Each structure stands twice: as C-alpha cells, then as structure tokens.
Amino acid sequence: MNFAGHSHYSLLDERSVWQGAFTAFGTQSVSYTELERGKVNGTVPPDAYMFPMGYILDFGSENITVRRMNFRLDKEEKPNMSVKIPYSVKKADFVPKRNGNSLPVMPNTYGHTEYDEKGTAYLCFDKGESEDAVHSYAVLYDDGTRRDYFSDFYKGCGAANSVKLPVYSKAPGVYNIKIYAVDSFGNMSDNCTKIDAAEIRRNKIYRRKFAPEIKY
C-alpha cells in the first residue's frame, strides 16, 4: 500500500484511489487543491485553498479504515464510502466497483443568466445530483461549441446547492445553452438544464489564479 501525492485528483474523486500491480491512495495538498487539466475554470478552481483535506487511519483489530477528512470543517467526507483494508490484503479485496453508479441528474429544467458590473455573464442553475458527486458540468452552446467546468465537489461538505459559472472565451451574442452534469468517470446526465436566449456581453478570458499564502 502506498500513500502518494500529485495525481491531480481531488481526494474526494474516486479515481484518486488506484489499484493495479499495487494500490495507491492519492493525497492532495493541505494548502490548496489543484485538479486535472481540461476545464475552462482552470486547474486551481475558486476557493481552492479553503478546504484542506487528508486521511485519518483507524487501526482496528482486523483492518484499517481509511477516512477522508475535511480539516477545515472537522468532518469526515463521504463516510458511506470509507475504505476498509484487511491486514491480510489481496488485490481487489477492498476497492469497490467505482464506476457502477447511475447517471447524474440535473434537477431543474431551466436556469438563468446574471451579470456583474463589468458585463460578465454568469450561468446560474441548481446543482446536479449524483450517487457519488457531480465532478463537472458540460455547457453546450447552440453554435456547436462546448465548455467544461469543474463543479465545486472538491469542497465536500462546503459545496453550495446552487451553481454560478462565469462565461469564458465566448464571443458576444445571444445563445441557447444546455448544461449537463458529468461524474468523475465522464458519464453524462441524460437530461439537462436549459438557458434560452442567454446574452453574452463580453469575451472574458480565464486567468489562472494561484492559492494565496494562508497564515494560521
């Protein structure tokens, strides 16, 4: 068993536990969360430094229980999915089938747009639902383009019930938009949330933000 870092998966992402020739538990920094590439809201997402996570190991008489802890909120995350490691362990003894959940769901049919004082458009809607966690959102425009965003799943218990996504890298215009929920394995919801006649007023570019130094 190997506890190692730098997989760029959140500790709350089930892909952070890998099992092949050996078993690896990916850890994340307790200073901030940096995720994998490929989303328009960047590898260092909003408030990435606000939710340090780590493992606590409970040693029992027959096994070790691996618990994912939110240190800021002093709460165990995903307690129903803690991992029990038998002392006499063989491959695949304890890692459950992690890609067997039903598809995520978008709970409401329609969302809306909001604008800040600079004219940046925000897509606002109720967050998706999943047996595990909604990892990201696929935003599809009626001109055929797609933008993928991380959800705030990496905040765990601190995640919000509503979503507000700034529109990046989109030419000004009026668009009909469909938003789908995606889990960490890339499975997309069958249904979507629609925002019709969304007006994009400025072409905002995402600028990567690094976590500031936190003084304790």
Side-chain angles (χ1 to χ4, degrees), residues 84-104:
K84 292 187 181 296
I85 307 171
Y87 289 120
S88 176
V89 64
K90 296 179 181 179
K91 181 178 176 180
D93 269 350
F94 60 87
V95 176
K97 184 178 181 183
R98 295 172 179 269
N99 193 13
N101 292 332
S102 57
L103 294 178

PDB file of all heavy atoms in Angstrom, residues 84-104:
ATOM      1  N   LYS A  84     -12.061   0.037   3.907  1.00  0.00           N
ATOM      2  CA  LYS A  84     -11.526  -0.842   4.938  1.00  0.00           C
ATOM      3  C   LYS A  84     -10.477  -1.763   4.309  1.00  0.00           C
ATOM      4  O   LYS A  84     -10.768  -2.464   3.349  1.00  0.00           O
ATOM      5  CB  LYS A  84     -12.645  -1.661   5.581  1.00  0.00           C
ATOM      6  CG  LYS A  84     -13.605  -0.822   6.409  1.00  0.00           C
ATOM      7  CD  LYS A  84     -14.590  -1.696   7.172  1.00  0.00           C
ATOM      8  CE  LYS A  84     -15.563  -0.842   7.968  1.00  0.00           C
ATOM      9  NZ  LYS A  84     -14.901  -0.056   9.017  1.00  0.00           N
ATOM     10  N   ILE A  85      -9.279  -1.726   4.857  1.00  0.00           N
ATOM     11  CA  ILE A  85      -8.167  -2.510   4.332  1.00  0.00           C
ATOM     12  C   ILE A  85      -7.887  -3.656   5.301  1.00  0.00           C
ATOM     13  O   ILE A  85      -7.416  -3.429   6.419  1.00  0.00           O
ATOM     14  CB  ILE A  85      -6.893  -1.659   4.189  1.00  0.00           C
ATOM     15  CG1 ILE A  85      -7.179  -0.386   3.382  1.00  0.00           C
ATOM     16  CG2 ILE A  85      -5.779  -2.465   3.550  1.00  0.00           C
ATOM     17  CD1 ILE A  85      -6.035   0.592   3.386  1.00  0.00           C
ATOM     18  N   PRO A  86      -8.172  -4.895   4.909  1.00  0.00           N
ATOM     19  CA  PRO A  86      -7.824  -6.018   5.781  1.00  0.00           C
ATOM     20  C   PRO A  86      -6.311  -6.125   5.950  1.00  0.00           C
ATOM     21  O   PRO A  86      -5.548  -5.776   5.046  1.00  0.00           O
ATOM     22  CB  PRO A  86      -8.386  -7.234   5.025  1.00  0.00           C
ATOM     23  CG  PRO A  86      -9.348  -6.667   4.034  1.00  0.00           C
ATOM     24  CD  PRO A  86      -8.835  -5.313   3.679  1.00  0.00           C
ATOM     25  N   TYR A  87      -5.863  -6.575   7.109  1.00  0.00           N
ATOM     26  CA  TYR A  87      -4.420  -6.729   7.326  1.00  0.00           C
ATOM     27  C   TYR A  87      -3.837  -7.775   6.384  1.00  0.00           C
ATOM     28  O   TYR A  87      -2.703  -7.668   5.947  1.00  0.00           O
ATOM     29  CB  TYR A  87      -4.133  -7.109   8.783  1.00  0.00           C
ATOM     30  CG  TYR A  87      -4.377  -5.962   9.729  1.00  0.00           C
ATOM     31  CD1 TYR A  87      -5.307  -6.056  10.751  1.00  0.00           C
ATOM     32  CD2 TYR A  87      -3.664  -4.767   9.595  1.00  0.00           C
ATOM     33  CE1 TYR A  87      -5.527  -5.001  11.619  1.00  0.00           C
ATOM     34  CE2 TYR A  87      -3.877  -3.702  10.454  1.00  0.00           C
ATOM     35  CZ  TYR A  87      -4.814  -3.822  11.463  1.00  0.00           C
ATOM     36  OH  TYR A  87      -5.039  -2.771  12.320  1.00  0.00           O
ATOM     37  N   SER A  88      -4.632  -8.799   6.069  1.00  0.00           N
ATOM     38  CA  SER A  88      -4.219  -9.785   5.075  1.00  0.00           C
ATOM     39  C   SER A  88      -4.916  -9.413   3.774  1.00  0.00           C
ATOM     40  O   SER A  88      -6.029  -9.847   3.498  1.00  0.00           O
ATOM     41  CB  SER A  88      -4.618 -11.204   5.508  1.00  0.00           C
ATOM     42  OG  SER A  88      -4.286 -12.132   4.500  1.00  0.00           O
ATOM     43  N   VAL A  89      -4.279  -8.543   2.984  1.00  0.00           N
ATOM     44  CA  VAL A  89      -4.957  -7.961   1.830  1.00  0.00           C
ATOM     45  C   VAL A  89      -4.454  -8.578   0.529  1.00  0.00           C
ATOM     46  O   VAL A  89      -3.281  -8.888   0.375  1.00  0.00           O
ATOM     47  CB  VAL A  89      -4.773  -6.422   1.797  1.00  0.00           C
ATOM     48  CG1 VAL A  89      -3.314  -6.055   1.615  1.00  0.00           C
ATOM     49  CG2 VAL A  89      -5.609  -5.784   0.706  1.00  0.00           C
ATOM     50  N   LYS A  90      -5.384  -8.796  -0.368  1.00  0.00           N
ATOM     51  CA  LYS A  90      -5.068  -9.229  -1.717  1.00  0.00           C
ATOM     52  C   LYS A  90      -5.642  -8.216  -2.687  1.00  0.00           C
ATOM     53  O   LYS A  90      -6.515  -7.429  -2.339  1.00  0.00           O
ATOM     54  CB  LYS A  90      -5.657 -10.611  -1.998  1.00  0.00           C
ATOM     55  CG  LYS A  90      -5.073 -11.720  -1.118  1.00  0.00           C
ATOM     56  CD  LYS A  90      -5.712 -13.042  -1.448  1.00  0.00           C
ATOM     57  CE  LYS A  90      -5.153 -14.150  -0.548  1.00  0.00           C
ATOM     58  NZ  LYS A  90      -5.791 -15.457  -0.831  1.00  0.00           N
ATOM     59  N   LYS A  91      -5.166  -8.260  -3.911  1.00  0.00           N
ATOM     60  CA  LYS A  91      -5.630  -7.307  -4.912  1.00  0.00           C
ATOM     61  C   LYS A  91      -7.145  -7.361  -5.041  1.00  0.00           C
ATOM     62  O   LYS A  91      -7.746  -8.429  -5.091  1.00  0.00           O
ATOM     63  CB  LYS A  91      -4.979  -7.612  -6.267  1.00  0.00           C
ATOM     64  CG  LYS A  91      -5.400  -6.641  -7.367  1.00  0.00           C
ATOM     65  CD  LYS A  91      -4.689  -6.963  -8.659  1.00  0.00           C
ATOM     66  CE  LYS A  91      -5.182  -6.060  -9.775  1.00  0.00           C
ATOM     67  NZ  LYS A  91      -4.529  -6.344 -11.047  1.00  0.00           N
ATOM     68  N   ALA A  92      -7.779  -6.180  -5.083  1.00  0.00           N
ATOM     69  CA  ALA A  92      -9.225  -6.024  -5.268  1.00  0.00           C
ATOM     70  C   ALA A  92     -10.031  -6.509  -4.080  1.00  0.00           C
ATOM     71  O   ALA A  92     -11.228  -6.682  -4.179  1.00  0.00           O
ATOM     72  CB  ALA A  92      -9.702  -6.719  -6.544  1.00  0.00           C
ATOM     73  N   ASP A  93      -9.370  -6.706  -2.912  1.00  0.00           N
ATOM     74  CA  ASP A  93     -10.120  -7.102  -1.725  1.00  0.00           C
ATOM     75  C   ASP A  93     -11.034  -5.994  -1.217  1.00  0.00           C
ATOM     76  O   ASP A  93     -12.089  -6.259  -0.677  1.00  0.00           O
ATOM     77  CB  ASP A  93      -9.160  -7.497  -0.593  1.00  0.00           C
ATOM     78  CG  ASP A  93      -8.823  -8.978  -0.610  1.00  0.00           C
ATOM     79  OD1 ASP A  93      -9.465  -9.722  -1.375  1.00  0.00           O
ATOM     80  OD2 ASP A  93      -7.935  -9.378   0.134  1.00  0.00           O
ATOM     81  N   PHE A  94     -10.612  -4.731  -1.374  1.00  0.00           N
ATOM     82  CA  PHE A  94     -11.343  -3.677  -0.693  1.00  0.00           C
ATOM     83  C   PHE A  94     -11.774  -2.518  -1.578  1.00  0.00           C
ATOM     84  O   PHE A  94     -12.570  -1.686  -1.158  1.00  0.00           O
ATOM     85  CB  PHE A  94     -10.510  -3.118   0.475  1.00  0.00           C
ATOM     86  CG  PHE A  94      -9.187  -2.543   0.038  1.00  0.00           C
ATOM     87  CD1 PHE A  94      -9.082  -1.238  -0.367  1.00  0.00           C
ATOM     88  CD2 PHE A  94      -8.058  -3.339   0.050  1.00  0.00           C
ATOM     89  CE1 PHE A  94      -7.873  -0.723  -0.764  1.00  0.00           C
ATOM     90  CE2 PHE A  94      -6.841  -2.820  -0.335  1.00  0.00           C
ATOM     91  CZ  PHE A  94      -6.735  -1.515  -0.745  1.00  0.00           C
ATOM     92  N   VAL A  95     -11.245  -2.417  -2.780  1.00  0.00           N
ATOM     93  CA  VAL A  95     -11.655  -1.319  -3.653  1.00  0.00           C
ATOM     94  C   VAL A  95     -12.934  -1.722  -4.386  1.00  0.00           C
ATOM     95  O   VAL A  95     -12.929  -2.655  -5.174  1.00  0.00           O
ATOM     96  CB  VAL A  95     -10.549  -0.964  -4.668  1.00  0.00           C
ATOM     97  CG1 VAL A  95     -11.038   0.112  -5.626  1.00  0.00           C
ATOM     98  CG2 VAL A  95      -9.311  -0.473  -3.938  1.00  0.00           C
ATOM     99  N   PRO A  96     -14.052  -1.042  -4.098  1.00  0.00           N
ATOM    100  CA  PRO A  96     -15.314  -1.425  -4.733  1.00  0.00           C
ATOM    101  C   PRO A  96     -15.333  -1.023  -6.207  1.00  0.00           C
ATOM    102  O   PRO A  96     -14.473  -0.287  -6.684  1.00  0.00           O
ATOM    103  CB  PRO A  96     -16.352  -0.628  -3.942  1.00  0.00           C
ATOM    104  CG  PRO A  96     -15.596   0.577  -3.474  1.00  0.00           C
ATOM    105  CD  PRO A  96     -14.189   0.106  -3.209  1.00  0.00           C
ATOM    106  N   LYS A  97     -16.319  -1.507  -6.905  1.00  0.00           N
ATOM    107  CA  LYS A  97     -16.508  -1.079  -8.294  1.00  0.00           C
ATOM    108  C   LYS A  97     -16.925   0.385  -8.262  1.00  0.00           C
ATOM    109  O   LYS A  97     -17.981   0.719  -7.735  1.00  0.00           O
ATOM    110  CB  LYS A  97     -17.574  -1.931  -8.978  1.00  0.00           C
ATOM    111  CG  LYS A  97     -17.761  -1.605 -10.453  1.00  0.00           C
ATOM    112  CD  LYS A  97     -18.791  -2.522 -11.094  1.00  0.00           C
ATOM    113  CE  LYS A  97     -18.950  -2.186 -12.569  1.00  0.00           C
ATOM    114  NZ  LYS A  97     -19.990  -3.015 -13.206  1.00  0.00           N
ATOM    115  N   ARG A  98     -16.097   1.255  -8.810  1.00  0.00           N
ATOM    116  CA  ARG A  98     -16.300   2.688  -8.610  1.00  0.00           C
ATOM    117  C   ARG A  98     -16.988   3.377  -9.786  1.00  0.00           C
ATOM    118  O   ARG A  98     -17.224   4.580  -9.729  1.00  0.00           O
ATOM    119  CB  ARG A  98     -14.951   3.349  -8.317  1.00  0.00           C
ATOM    120  CG  ARG A  98     -14.370   2.858  -7.014  1.00  0.00           C
ATOM    121  CD  ARG A  98     -12.960   3.328  -6.774  1.00  0.00           C
ATOM    122  NE  ARG A  98     -12.524   2.806  -5.484  1.00  0.00           N
ATOM    123  CZ  ARG A  98     -12.673   3.461  -4.340  1.00  0.00           C
ATOM    124  NH1 ARG A  98     -13.231   4.632  -4.328  1.00  0.00           N
ATOM    125  NH2 ARG A  98     -12.265   2.917  -3.214  1.00  0.00           N
ATOM    126  N   ASN A  99     -17.261   2.645 -10.819  1.00  0.00           N
ATOM    127  CA  ASN A  99     -17.898   3.272 -11.981  1.00  0.00           C
ATOM    128  C   ASN A  99     -19.249   2.637 -12.246  1.00  0.00           C
ATOM    129  O   ASN A  99     -19.694   2.562 -13.377  1.00  0.00           O
ATOM    130  CB  ASN A  99     -16.989   3.140 -13.212  1.00  0.00           C
ATOM    131  CG  ASN A  99     -17.445   4.033 -14.357  1.00  0.00           C
ATOM    132  OD1 ASN A  99     -18.287   4.915 -14.178  1.00  0.00           O
ATOM    133  ND2 ASN A  99     -16.903   3.799 -15.538  1.00  0.00           N
ATOM    134  N   GLY A 100     -19.914   2.166 -11.195  1.00  0.00           N
ATOM    135  CA  GLY A 100     -21.176   1.474 -11.389  1.00  0.00           C
ATOM    136  C   GLY A 100     -22.401   2.268 -10.987  1.00  0.00           C
ATOM    137  O   GLY A 100     -23.511   1.718 -10.917  1.00  0.00           O
ATOM    138  N   ASN A 101     -22.235   3.559 -10.702  1.00  0.00           N
ATOM    139  CA  ASN A 101     -23.370   4.370 -10.288  1.00  0.00           C
ATOM    140  C   ASN A 101     -24.277   4.683 -11.469  1.00  0.00           C
ATOM    141  O   ASN A 101     -23.873   4.620 -12.638  1.00  0.00           O
ATOM    142  CB  ASN A 101     -22.890   5.693  -9.675  1.00  0.00           C
ATOM    143  CG  ASN A 101     -22.174   5.496  -8.357  1.00  0.00           C
ATOM    144  OD1 ASN A 101     -22.443   4.536  -7.647  1.00  0.00           O
ATOM    145  ND2 ASN A 101     -21.266   6.394  -8.043  1.00  0.00           N
ATOM    146  N   SER A 102     -25.515   5.038 -11.168  1.00  0.00           N
ATOM    147  CA  SER A 102     -26.420   5.514 -12.205  1.00  0.00           C
ATOM    148  C   SER A 102     -25.959   6.887 -12.679  1.00  0.00           C
ATOM    149  O   SER A 102     -25.134   7.551 -12.029  1.00  0.00           O
ATOM    150  CB  SER A 102     -27.849   5.585 -11.676  1.00  0.00           C
ATOM    151  OG  SER A 102     -27.919   6.409 -10.530  1.00  0.00           O
ATOM    152  N   LEU A 103     -26.479   7.325 -13.811  1.00  0.00           N
ATOM    153  CA  LEU A 103     -26.065   8.604 -14.378  1.00  0.00           C
ATOM    154  C   LEU A 103     -26.467   9.758 -13.464  1.00  0.00           C
ATOM    155  O   LEU A 103     -27.491   9.692 -12.775  1.00  0.00           O
ATOM    156  CB  LEU A 103     -26.713   8.800 -15.746  1.00  0.00           C
ATOM    157  CG  LEU A 103     -26.292   7.841 -16.858  1.00  0.00           C
ATOM    158  CD1 LEU A 103     -27.070   8.146 -18.135  1.00  0.00           C
ATOM    159  CD2 LEU A 103     -24.793   7.921 -17.123  1.00  0.00           C
ATOM    160  N   PRO A 104     -25.664  10.820 -13.444  1.00  0.00           N
ATOM    161  CA  PRO A 104     -26.086  12.016 -12.693  1.00  0.00           C
ATOM    162  C   PRO A 104     -27.336  12.630 -13.317  1.00  0.00           C
ATOM    163  O   PRO A 104     -27.717  12.296 -14.451  1.00  0.00           O
ATOM    164  CB  PRO A 104     -24.875  12.948 -12.805  1.00  0.00           C
ATOM    165  CG  PRO A 104     -24.095  12.460 -13.978  1.00  0.00           C
ATOM    166  CD  PRO A 104     -24.360  10.990 -14.084  1.00  0.00           C
TER     167      PRO A 104
END
